[in-house]
C-alpha cells in the first residue's frame, strides 16, 4: 500500500474557535490507482492532499506514506519522503520566477540522490520534451503561457520519478482548451500506470479517473473509496 | 548537496536581486573600508615616524634619558647637570653621553633681518644631527641650519625667489613647475646670532652655514644647530654653577649591555647622589629608554589611537551588519513562496537554512573584499585630510597591511554568518503550506 489514511483528523485552532478541516478520514491508495477528489469549497480537499503529500501531520489518527507514519516523523524525514515519493502539481503552478523552465524542472533533482548530477539537465530536457516544451526550455516562467507553465510544473513533478503524483485543481487557472491539453497529459500518465490523485471540480476530469471520492465538511461521503 | 552548488545557487539569487544585494554589500563595504583606510593611514604615519627615529635620530645602541613625557632631543625642562652627565660617562659599558639643548635667548639674523621661527640648539655630539647637505659643525662660528630656516635665509639673500602666497609656492613645487630647493646654495653664507652669554649679557657673533638638516615632516625645520660652547644654561648646585640640559643620550660599547646600562643609569639618577634628584626632589619622574623602547612606545601609542579610530569603523561595520540582516529578513519574507516551493519539491530545512546563509556570507565576503580595496583608496583621501589639518605633516606613505586584509576577510565571513543566522533560521522554519499560500 502506497498511502494509508487511518481516521485522520486535522483541526485548526483559530483563537477560541476550532476549525475541523478533516474529521476522521480513512482512505487507502495503492500503486497504480487514479483518484479524483471532488467536493465543495472548504470541504477539506486541499487539507487531505497536504497530508498525502507529506507537507503536514494529522492532528489525530495516522497517515502512512510508503510505510512511514507522518504524525511522528521529523521535518527532515518529511522532506525526504516528499523528495522520494511525491510530485506536486498546483493550481497556481508555483514555479520559481527567477530561473528558467529547465532550471525549475532540475530543482527537485538537487534535493535527491536519485539522479546523477551529470544527468540532471538531460533528464529535465527529456521531461520538458515529453510535455511538449522542447522549444521553451530556456524561457523564464513569466515568458510562458498558463498552459505552458502548468506543463513545466508537471515536468517538475516527474523529475525524480515519484511513485505518487498529486494535483490540486491543475486546470483551475486555465481555460477549457488549455485545461484539456493538461488533462491529456494526465491521461497519458494514468495509462503509464502512475498513481495519480487529482482534486477537481470538473466532472469530465473525474471521469478519467479510476475512483472518485466526494468530500463534504471534512469527511468522505458514502464512507470511503467508491 | 555540495558547497559548490550552494555557491552557485546563492550567486543566482544574488544576481536576481542585484540592487538589494549591492545595498547590503555596501553596508559591509563601508564598514570594512573605514577600518582599512584608518589602519593604512595610521600604519603609514607610524612607519615613517619610526623610520625617522631609528634612522635619523637614534641609533640602536642609544639610551635616551629625559623627563617623563618629554623627548630630550626636542626639549623639556633643563635639569640634567653636566656633573650628572660626567658621572653617567663613568658607568661601566657606557661609550659616550651627550647632551643637546636650546640656546637661551638665541636669535638669528640674515643681514639686518631677524629670522622668525628659528631655534638654535647646541649639542655635544654633532653627529646626532640628521644632516641633509654640507657637513656637521666642528666648532664655534659654524651653524647647521634647519631646512625651513635655510629656505628663509635663501629668500632673504635673494638666492631663491620669494612668493607672496606660500600655498601657491607649495603647489608649484609639488607639481614640479618649480624645481626643488637646492640647499647647497645656502652653504658658506654668513648669519649673525645674538644669545645670552655666561654673564647673562646679550652677545653677538657671526656664524658660517656649513650644513642643512635633512628635510623631514617629523624634524622641526626651524631647529638649527651650533657648537656646544655657546650653551650657557646653568643651575647652582652645591654652590657651583653647572650647565643643565633637557636630556642625555647615552651610547653603550656593546649592544648586549643595553638593559644593564639602562638600569644602572636609572639607579644612579634616582639615587640621592645625583644632582637631578637634589634639584627636583620627589617630582623626579624619569624616562630612561632604549631606542627599541622609544619605538615600542610610539607603536603602542599608535595602537591606542588606531584602536579608537578603528572602533569608530567597527561601529560603521555593526550598522552595516544590521543593514544586511534587515535586508536578508526582507528577502526571506519576499521569497516565502519560493521557500514553500523548494520545501514541497523536497528541500530540507537544512538546505533552506544553508542556502540563505551562503547567500548572506557571500554578500558580506564580496562586501569586505570591496571594502579592502575601497579602504586602500580611501586611506589616500584620509591621509590628504590629515596632512591638510596638521601643520608639519607633508606626506604619509602608503603601506600594505596584509594582516588587516586577512582580518577584514574573516570579519566579512563572520558578519555574513552572524547577520544571516536569524533570517536563515526563520526561512528554514517556514511552514511549507502557509508559504505556498503566501501572496
Ligand atoms: N491554516 C488554516 N487555519 C485555519 N483554518 C484552515 C487552515 N487551512 C484550512 N483551513 C480551513 O479548513 C477548511 C478546509 O480547507 P481546504 O483548503 O482543505 O478546503 P478545500 O476543500 O481545498 O477548498 P477549495 O475547493 O476552496 O480549495 C476550510 O474551512 C479552511 O478555512
Ligand atoms: Mg483547495
Amino acid at each position: 500500500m502506497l498511502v494509508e489514511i487511518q481516521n485522520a483528523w486535522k483541526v485548526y485552532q483559530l483563537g477560541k474557535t476550532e476549525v475541523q478541516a478533516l474529521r476522521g478520514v480513512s482512505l487507502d491508495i495503492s500503486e497504480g490507482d487514479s483518484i479524483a477528489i471532488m467536493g465543495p469549497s472548504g470541504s477539506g480537499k486541499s487539507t487531505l492532499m497536504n497530508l498525502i503529500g507529506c507537507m503536514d501531520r494529522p492532528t489525530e489518527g495516522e497517515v502512512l506514506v510508503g510505510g512511514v507514519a507522518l504524525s511522528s516523523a521529523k521535518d527532515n524525514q518529511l522532506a525526504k519522503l516528499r523528495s522520494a515519493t511525491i510530485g506536486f502539481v498546483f493550481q497556481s503552478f508555483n514555479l520559481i520566477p527567477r530561473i528558467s523552465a529547465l532550471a525549475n524542472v532540475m530543482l527537485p533533482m538537487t534535493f535527491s540522490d536519485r539522479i546523477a548530477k551529470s544527468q540532471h539537465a538531460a533528464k529535465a530536457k527529456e521531461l520538458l520534451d515529453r510535455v511538449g516544451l522542447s522549444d521553451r526550455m530556456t524561457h523564464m516562467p513569466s515568458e510562458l503561457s498558463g498552459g505552458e507553465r502548468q506543463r513545466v510544473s508537471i515536468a517538475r513533478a516527474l523529475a525524480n520519478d515519484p511513485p505518487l503524483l498529486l494535483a490540486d485543481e491543475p486546470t483551475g487557472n486555465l481555460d477549457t482548451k488549455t485545461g484539456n491539453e493538461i488533462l491529456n497529459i494526465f491521461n497519458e500518465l494514468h495509462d503509464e500506470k502512475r498513481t495519480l490523485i487529482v482534486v477537481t471540480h470538473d466532472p469530465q476530469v473525474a471521469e478519467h479517473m479510476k475512483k472518485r471520492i466526494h468530500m463534504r465538511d471534512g469527511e468522505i461521503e458514502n464512507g470511503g473509496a467508491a | 548537496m555540495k558547497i559548490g552548488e550552494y555557491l552557485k545557487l546563492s550567486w543566482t539569487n544574488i544576481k536576481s536581486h542585484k540592487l538589494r544585494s549591492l545595498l547590503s554589500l555596501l553596508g559591509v563595504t563601508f564598514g570594512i573600508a573605514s577600518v582599512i583606510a584608518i589602519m593604512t593611514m595610521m600604519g603609514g604615519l607610524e612607519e615613517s615616524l619610526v623610520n625617522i627615529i631609528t634612522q635619523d635620530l637614534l641609533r640602536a645602541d642609544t639610551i635616551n634619558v629625559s623627563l617623563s613625557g618629554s623627548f630630550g632631543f626636542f626639549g623639556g625642562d633643563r635639569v640634567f647637570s653636566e656633573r650628572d652627565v660626567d658621572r653617567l660617562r663613568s658607568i661601566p659599558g657606557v661609550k659616550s653621553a651627550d647632551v643637546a639643548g636650546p640656546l637661551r635667548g638665541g636669535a638669528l639674523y640674515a643681514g639686518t633681518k631677524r629670522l622668525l621661527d628659528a631655534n638654535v640648539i647646541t649639542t655635544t655630539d654633532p653627529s646626532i644631527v640628521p644632516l641633509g647637505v654640507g657637513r656637521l659643525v666642528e666648532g664655534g662660528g659654524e651653524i647647521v641650519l634647519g631646512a625651513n630656516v635655510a629656505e628663509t635665509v635663501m629668500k632673504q639673500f635673494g638666492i631663491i625667489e620669494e612668493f607672496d602666497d606660500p600655498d601657491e609656492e607649495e603647489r608649484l613645487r609639488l607639481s614640479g613647475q618649480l624645481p626643488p630647493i637646492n640647499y647647497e646654495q645656502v652653504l658658506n653664507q654668513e648669519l649673525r646670532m645674538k644669545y645670552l652669554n655666561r654673564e647673562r649679557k646679550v652677545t653677538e657673533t657671526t656664524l658660517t652655514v656649513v650644513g642643512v638638516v635633512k628635510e623631514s615632516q617629523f624634524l622641526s625645520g626651524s631647529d638649527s644647530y651650533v657648537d656646544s660652547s655657546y650653551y650657557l644654561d646653568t643651575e647652582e648646585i652645591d654652590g657651583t654653577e653647572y650647565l643643565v640640559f633637557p636630556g642625555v643620550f647615552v651610547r653603550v660599547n656593546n649592544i648586549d649591555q643595553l638593559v644593564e646600562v639602562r638600569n644602572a643609569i636609572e639607579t644612579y639618577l634616582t639615587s640621592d647622589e645625583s644632582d637631578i634628584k637634589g634639584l627636583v626632589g620627589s617630582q623626579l619622574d624619569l624616562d630612561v629608554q632604549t631606542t627599541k623602547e622609544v619605538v615600542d612606545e610610539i607603536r603602542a601609542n599608535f595602537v591606542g589611537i588606531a584602536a579608537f579610530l578603528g572602533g569608530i569603523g567597527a561601529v560603521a561595520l555593526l550598522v552595516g551588519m544590521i543593514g544586511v540582516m534587515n535586508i536578508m529578513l526582507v528577502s526571506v519574507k519576499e521569497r516565502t513562496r519560493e521557500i514553500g516551493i523548494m520545501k514541497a519539491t523536497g528541500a530540507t530545512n537544512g538546505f533552506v537554512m544553508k542556502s540563505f546563509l551562503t547567500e548572506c556570507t557571500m554578500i558580506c565576503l564580496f562586501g569586505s573584499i570591496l571594502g579592502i580595496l575601497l579602504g586602500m583608496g580611501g586611506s589616500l583621501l584620509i591621509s590628504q585630510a590629515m596632512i591638510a589639518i596638521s601643520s608639519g605633516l607633508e606626506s604619509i606613505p602608503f603601506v600594505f597591511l596584509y594582516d588587516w586584509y586577512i582580518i577584514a576577510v574573516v570579519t566579512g565571513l563572520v558578519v555574513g554568518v552572524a547577520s544571516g543566522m536569524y533570517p536563515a533560521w526563520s526561512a528554514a522554519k517556514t511552514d511549507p503550506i502557509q508559504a505556498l499560500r503566501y501572496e
Side-chain angles (χ1 to χ4, degrees):
Chain A
M1 202 62 66
L2 198 53
V3 180
E4 290 171 60
I5 307 174
Q6 300 158 352
N7 192 30
W9 284 70
K10 188 71 201 180
V11 181
Y12 294 104
Q13 200 71 44
L14 285 179
K16 285 205 173 79
T17 53
E18 207 175 61
V19 181
Q20 301 178 332
L22 289 182
R23 305 195 298 163
V25 170
S26 294
L27 181 68
D28 287 346
I29 301 162
S30 37
E31 213 115 2
D33 267 352
S34 67
I35 302 172
I37 300 178
M38 306 182 74
S41 182
S43 56
K45 305 183 295 292
S46 296
T47 309
L48 181 61
M49 289 292 261
N50 286 335
L51 281 180
I52 300 169
C54 310
M55 297 271 274
D56 207 356
R57 300 178 185 88
T59 317
E60 300 241 351
E62 189 56 277
V63 177
L64 296 154
V65 176
V68 179
L70 299 193
S71 60
S72 56
K74 296 255 182 333
D75 277 2
N76 266 7
Q77 271 176 291
L78 291 182
K80 290 260 149 55
L81 215 49
R82 287 196 290 271
S83 172
T85 323
I86 312 290
F88 277 107
V89 177
F90 304 93
Q91 177 176 359
S92 51
F93 323 132
N94 279 335
L95 299 175
I96 293 186
R98 299 176 289 108
I99 58 178
S100 69
L102 190 70
N104 265 288
V105 178
M106 285 163 70
L107 186 69
M109 302 179 197
T110 50
F111 305 134
S112 155
D113 300 327
R114 204 183 156 80
I115 297 155
K117 180 89 181 62
S118 56
Q119 297 303 306
H120 283 190
K123 170 85 180 179
K125 279 179 188 160
E126 182 193 311
L127 289 167
L128 281 171
D129 195 32
R130 117 148 248 202
V131 296
L133 286 180
S134 38
D135 53 350
R136 294 283 190 279
M137 303 209 188
T138 56
H139 285 229
M140 292 289 158
S142 59
E143 299 162 349
L144 297 170
S145 74
E148 286 168 338
R149 287 185 214 185
Q150 196 59 301
R151 283 192 263 171
V152 174
S153 85
I154 293 171
R156 179 181 64 189
L158 296 170
N160 286 326
D161 273 321
L164 183 54
L165 275 184
L166 302 181
D168 195 340
E169 299 188 48
T171 60
N173 280 3
L174 303 173
D175 59 37
T176 320
K177 186 173 163 288
T178 351
N180 283 335
E181 287 168 18
I182 297 300
L183 286 175
N184 285 336
I185 299 174
F186 277 104
N187 284 337
E188 282 171 37
L189 294 170
H190 173 60
D191 293 342
E192 286 172 19
K193 303 275 178 285
R194 286 194 193 255
T195 316
L196 215 62
I197 303 178
V198 182
V199 171
T200 182
H201 290 293
D202 188 344
Q204 254 192 306
V205 178
E207 281 292 290
H208 286 98
M209 302 293 147
K210 240 187 339 198
K211 297 179 195 169
R212 276 154 296 279
I213 289 168
H214 292 271
M215 293 195 70
R216 184 175 292 277
D217 296 334
E219 289 175 298
I220 294 178
E221 284 185 322
N222 349 321
Chain B
M1 235 171 91
K2 303 222 173 56
I3 181 81
E5 290 179 53
Y6 283 105
L7 292 177
K8 221 164 84 184
L9 183 80
S10 298
W11 181 235
T12 314
N13 285 335
I14 289 169
K15 271 197 307 190
S16 56
H17 297 98
K18 286 198 186 69
L19 181 65
R20 170 176 307 177
S21 304
L22 187 74
L23 287 176
S24 38
L25 181 146
L26 285 181
V28 177
T29 297
F30 288 133
I32 296 276
S34 53
V35 174
I36 291 290
I38 288 164
M39 292 307 163
T40 304
M41 188 271 295
M42 293 298 287
L45 208 54
E46 179 180 336
E47 272 328 294
S48 54
L49 182 55
V50 166
N51 279 349
I52 195 89
I53 285 176
T54 52
Q55 287 167 18
D56 294 323
L57 288 180
L58 299 176
R59 289 161 199 84
D61 64 354
T62 304
I63 297 164
N64 178 49
V65 185
S66 61
L67 288 179
S68 196
S70 72
F71 184 46
F73 201 78
F74 296 136
D77 289 317
R78 296 150 212 215
V79 287
F80 293 88
S81 75
E82 56 184 323
R83 198 163 64 162
D84 274 348
V85 176
D86 275 337
R87 286 179 186 161
L88 292 185
R89 286 194 183 105
S90 65
I91 290 176
V94 169
K95 183 168 143 197
S96 63
D98 286 291
V99 289
L103 201 54
R104 181 128 323 163
L108 288 174
Y109 298 81
T112 58
K113 298 286 182 296
R114 164 87 189 257
L115 298 176
L116 299 178
D117 288 327
N119 308 317
V120 185
I121 292 176
T122 68
T123 172
T124 52
D125 178 10
S127 73
I128 63 172
V129 178
L131 196 66
V133 300
R135 61 167 175 81
L136 299 165
V137 295
E138 285 165 1
E142 295 178 345
I143 186 166
V144 169
L145 292 180
N148 291 355
V149 180
E151 189 180 330
T152 312
V153 168
M154 286 158 88
K155 283 175 182 166
Q156 288 299 323
F157 287 144
I159 299 170
I160 57 171
E161 193 187 345
E162 196 157 6
F163 279 77
D164 291 339
D165 182 2
D167 292 339
E168 170 74 2
E169 180 183 358
E170 195 180 326
R171 196 183 61 73
L172 289 174
R173 284 212 202 282
L174 284 176
S175 67
Q177 282 164 275
L178 271 181
I181 295 170
N182 177 6
Y183 291 105
E184 299 271 356
Q185 292 172 302
V186 81
L187 299 182
N188 299 321
Q189 294 292 332
E190 299 215 320
L191 301 178
R192 288 185 302 125
M193 177 175 77
K194 284 188 186 165
Y195 66 105
L196 293 178
N197 70 3
R198 194 165 275 230
E199 284 73 45
R200 313 214 177 216
K201 284 223 177 76
V202 178
T203 318
E204 194 180 309
T205 184
T206 303
L207 300 169
T208 306
V209 179
V210 296
V212 178
V213 176
K214 202 170 189 166
E215 235 188 322
S216 160
Q217 53 195 346
F218 296 108
L219 293 176
S220 164
S222 53
D223 287 348
S224 302
Y225 296 86
V226 295
D227 188 67
S228 62
S229 57
Y230 294 105
Y231 189 89
L232 295 165
D233 247 306
T234 57
E235 286 278 356
E236 192 182 309
I237 299 166
D238 301 338
T240 316
E241 290 281 332
Y242 285 106
L243 292 174
V244 282
F245 304 94
V248 191
F249 306 95
V250 179
R251 295 173 72 181
V252 296
N253 286 318
N254 184 338
I255 208 148
D256 297 334
Q257 297 172 302
L258 263 180
V259 175
E260 205 179 304
V261 171
R262 187 202 58 198
N263 292 342
I265 291 171
E266 203 158 8
T267 307
Y268 167 72
L269 289 174
T270 52
S271 74
D272 290 334
E273 293 145 46
S274 74
D275 291 343
I276 192 169
K277 185 77 180 178
L279 194 58
V280 304
S282 63
Q283 303 166 73
L284 185 60
D285 185 5
L286 282 173
D287 252 352
V288 185
Q289 288 178 313
T290 63
T291 298
K292 187 176 170 301
E293 286 166 336
V294 171
V295 169
D296 286 348
E297 194 177 309
I298 289 169
R299 290 204 192 276
N301 285 337
F302 268 95
V303 168
I305 302 167
F308 172 72
L309 294 175
I312 296 171
V315 171
L317 189 62
L318 190 71
V319 172
M321 181 169 144
I322 293 168
V324 174
M325 189 159 159
N326 186 27
I327 288 177
M328 279 318 278
L329 278 173
V330 172
S331 231
V332 168
K333 198 91 193 137
E334 194 195 65
R335 300 213 296 247
T336 300
R337 203 182 175 90
E338 227 168 85
I339 295 166
I341 297 169
M342 304 237 257
K343 286 195 162 186
T345 53
T348 57
N349 294 356
F351 169 85
V352 175
M353 172 114 190
K354 278 184 230 160
S355 66
F356 274 94
L357 258 189
T358 311
E359 185 176 330
C360 191
T361 308
M362 246 168 115
I363 288 174
C364 291
L365 196 61
F366 289 147
S368 66
I369 290 169
L370 199 66
I372 293 170
L373 298 175
L374 197 70
M376 288 158 85
S379 77
L380 300 176
L381 276 179
I382 296 191
S383 295
Q384 289 300 318
M386 276 289 287
I387 290 164
I389 59 170
S390 73
S391 56
L393 268 184
E394 279 159 15
S395 71
I396 300 175
F398 183 86
V399 291
F400 285 96
L401 302 169
Y402 297 102
D403 292 0
W404 279 97
Y405 304 154
I406 293 167
I407 290 171
V409 168
V410 172
T411 306
L413 286 172
V414 170
V415 165
V417 172
S419 59
M421 207 57 134
Y422 176 70
W425 178 82
S426 73
K429 284 287 153 205
T430 306
D431 172 27
I433 299 170
Q434 300 300 332
L436 283 172
R437 224 181 263 157
Y438 188 85
E439 296 300 329

